[in-house]
Amino acid sequence: MGRCSKCNGHTKPSFTTDTYRRKGSDIVLTVSGIPAEICTVCGEDYVDIETLKEIERLINPLFAYDQGTHRLPSPKVTIAFEPPTMAVPA
């Protein structure tokens, strides 16, 4: 367990959802199921840098759609990562 830099509460492993937008783009991306540490007091979420980099690599091509000419409107995209289920011993 870590400490929250916002309220000094404790954090616990969980999952979060973030919405991504880029200046000049009408595309809205919502990514859920992101592994994170969540503060049990204020709800602040902390995602490690490697996870953020991986998300960026995943979503950058989607934002590139707005850079070209296309006939379809800008999409709203949802990416949902399935959190792993905890195996229950028999």
Side-chain angles (χ1 to χ4, degrees):
M1 240 191 253
R3 284 276 192 195
C4 177
S5 61
K6 188 174 178 181
C7 75
N8 207 31
H10 291 285
T11 62
K12 68 175 184 168
S14 190
F15 300 92
T16 191
T17 298
D18 281 325
T19 300
Y20 297 86
R21 293 179 174 89
R22 297 280 163 85
K23 186 175 182 177
S25 174
D26 292 331
I27 294 174
V28 177
L29 290 163
T30 302
V31 182
S32 63
I34 302 168
E37 289 283 323
I38 310 292
C39 179
T40 59
V41 176
C42 71
E44 185 75 9
D45 62 1
Y46 299 90
V47 179
D48 72 59
I49 191 70
E50 290 306 314
T51 299
L52 291 173
K53 286 179 182 178
E54 194 170 339
I55 290 170
E56 283 293 318
R57 284 191 298 271
L58 177 67
I59 67 176
N60 280 339
L62 298 171
F63 282 112
Y65 176 80
D66 257 3
Q67 303 305 311
T69 55
H70 47 80
R71 297 183 339 181
L72 296 172
S74 294
K76 291 186 190 240
V77 180
T78 300
I79 300 170
F81 294 109
E82 285 286 326
T85 56
M86 300 300 285
V88 179

